[in-house]
Amino acid sequence: MKEVRIALLGSGFVADFYMQGLANVNGHRVVVNYSRSPRRATAFARRWRIVASSTNLREVVDRDDVDLFVIALPNQEHLPASLLLSKAKRNQVCTKPLGRNAREARAMLDAARRSGAMHGYAETEVFAPAVVKAREVIEKGGVGRVLWVRSRESHSGPHSPHFWDVRQTGGGALNDLGCHTIEMARYAFGKEDKIVEVMAWGGRLVHQAKTEGEDNALLVLKVASGGIAHCELSWTSRGGLDLRNEIHGSEGSIFTDVTRSTPISAFTTKPSGYVVEKADLDFGWTKPLPEEALTYGYQGEMRHFVECAREEKMPRETYEDGWIVNHLLDAGYKAMRSKRWERVRY
């Protein structure tokens, strides 16, 4: 088996999850970590036993011992990092959202296509085992024709200060969490059943002092076949990360709930350590989630991208998917302002 050598660009929250996801993927080695902070680069490399770290992105891109670059940087850094990689014709994977808007995402897609190299969009939801199984049920005809999808992602708010700044990130809860639920809807209906109209609402209900963006949002997606999807996004939901999906078809329904229906329930009178992403408490009644990286889809997507880099093939989630998601998010923000259905033109 050819070893795939990886450069991980970033040293924050999602970079840690990517390393957890890679832990059980055979045939790879992370050879260097890039971070904008020398202290964070060194600490990340030490924590994950990576032999090299750097704060010089251009030097990392120019290395001849890297087969795949994984972008795990803040939103505002995706475009310049990706364009640098495309100019060098390097294989790349980028975390969500691809860009801060459709214009940035399109620039990344066009440059990656021109490079001729592999490009993968790291949307965890469609690699989560529960969601992959749901798609298998759909493909076997178990629920008939998909008619309605409900997808919810919520928690009490971002962990990093920069996420609250809409100028750096591109938006609030819709931009941060809606990318997951949009791609879930596309996966359930099938990408060939295009989303043609969008309606959205957004409000700043709690975090007025922290952000100019919306901390709660609803997004409704109408697909060409007549089906409907609605997405619920919140930065004010207590109790830890809430990930739920419902898929209703003409012959049946599917439900996924990976954070509230865990196989463990515990009552502790003292703090018991890490429980689940964005947990508000670590004592009392808790529902710890084992193998988070597997459950959320980090392991599945990292295995897929490593295999694609090894076999020199395009992933099932590419920058085109990332651009479509950004395009739909932009339409959602337009609908928030207009307070009406907005047509989506590709």
Side-chain angles (χ1 to χ4, degrees):
M1 180 186 292
K2 175 189 172 184
E3 182 181 65
V4 174
R5 299 161 299 181
I6 297 172
L8 188 64
L9 310 182
S11 58
F13 179 82
V14 77
D16 274 321
F17 260 127
Y18 286 157
M19 290 302 297
Q20 291 178 48
L22 284 164
N24 293 313
V25 176
N26 292 327
H28 84 278
R29 178 163 52 97
V30 179
V31 296
V32 63
N33 167 248
Y34 162 79
S35 178
R36 295 171 298 166
S37 160
R39 179 183 59 81
R40 288 170 64 91
T42 302
F44 189 90
R46 184 182 300 116
R47 182 162 68 252
W48 291 104
R49 299 180 181 178
I50 301 170
V51 295
S53 62
S54 176
T55 57
N56 188 318
L57 181 58
R58 190 172 295 276
E59 284 185 1
V60 173
V61 172
D62 288 341
R63 288 178 62 135
D64 61 5
D65 63 341
V66 177
D67 305 301
L68 177 63
F69 292 79
V70 178
I71 301 171
L73 295 164
N75 296 8
Q76 69 271 20
E77 300 296 328
H78 294 183
L79 177 62
S82 178
L83 294 182
L84 189 62
L85 289 166
S86 291
K87 186 177 181 180
K89 296 179 168 43
R90 310 307 297 266
N91 294 331
Q92 57 182 293
V93 165
C94 185
T95 188
K96 66 81 191 173
L98 188 62
R100 288 179 291 182
N101 50 54
R103 180 183 54 80
E104 288 190 357
R106 186 74 206 196
M108 293 171 67
L109 168 60
D110 289 345
R113 281 176 169 170
R114 287 194 299 269
S115 77
M118 182 198 113
H119 48 93
Y121 178 52
E123 172 47 65
T124 51
E125 188 71 3
V126 297
F127 289 93
V131 174
V132 171
K133 185 61 179 179
R135 181 63 203 173
E136 290 176 4
V137 173
I138 293 168
E139 290 177 349
K140 292 181 184 298
V143 298
R145 183 167 67 90
V146 176
L147 305 173
W148 175 51
V149 173
R150 175 194 179 205
S151 186
R152 175 176 178 80
E153 177 144 353
S154 67
H155 52 64
S156 57
H159 50 276
S160 297
H162 76 269
F163 264 104
W164 299 95
D165 185 348
V166 297
R167 283 173 288 278
Q168 293 191 62
T169 61
L174 175 61
N175 189 70
D176 180 32
L177 306 175
C179 43
H180 295 302
T181 58
I182 289 171
E183 200 62 352
M184 170 62 205
R186 295 182 70 227
Y187 193 52
F189 279 107
K191 293 178 182 179
E192 69 283 353
D193 196 359
K194 290 188 176 181
I195 296 166
V196 295
E197 287 188 84
V198 171
M199 169 63 86
W201 165 87
R204 192 162 54 252
L205 306 181
V206 175
H207 298 301
Q208 289 88 349
K210 281 189 173 183
T211 183
E212 296 176 10
E214 71 289 348
D215 58 19
N216 282 271
L218 294 172
L219 179 68
V220 185
L221 312 168
K222 189 182 295 183
V223 299
S225 65
I228 205 84
H230 84 262
C231 308
E232 305 168 11
L233 306 319
S234 179
W235 277 353
T236 66
S237 176
R238 295 290 183 174
L241 183 62
D242 184 3
L243 289 179
R244 282 181 279 170
N245 298 297
E246 299 177 15
I247 302 166
H248 301 277
S250 58
E251 305 296 331
S253 298
I254 305 170
F255 302 85
T256 74
D257 181 356
V258 299
T259 54
R260 302 299 172 99
S261 297
T262 66
I264 302 175
S265 295
F267 178 80
T268 61
T269 58
K270 296 180 180 180
S272 53
Y274 185 86
V275 177
V276 68
E277 182 183 339
K278 306 295 195 301
D280 297 297
L281 297 172
D282 59 358
F283 64 92
W285 278 109
T286 59
K287 297 185 74 66
L289 177 60
E291 296 289 349
E292 269 191 311
L294 170 65
T295 301
Y296 295 156
Y298 289 101
Q299 186 183 112
E301 67 178 3
M302 287 297 111
R303 178 181 293 110
H304 178 66
F305 294 137
V306 167
E307 289 172 353
C308 288
R310 179 182 297 117
E311 298 169 14
E312 299 181 352
K313 65 181 184 182
M314 204 60 71
R316 67 173 173 91
E317 290 285 311
T318 70
Y319 281 9
E320 181 175 12
D321 296 295
W323 166 69
I324 290 171
V325 169
N326 269 123
H327 190 50
L328 294 167
L329 288 169
D330 284 2
Y333 280 113
K334 185 177 180 181
M336 277 188 194
R337 295 188 295 269
S338 70
K339 296 179 170 51
R340 66 188 181 198
W341 285 96
E342 294 289 347
R343 293 286 300 177
V344 179
R345 294 175 175 84
Y346 294 90

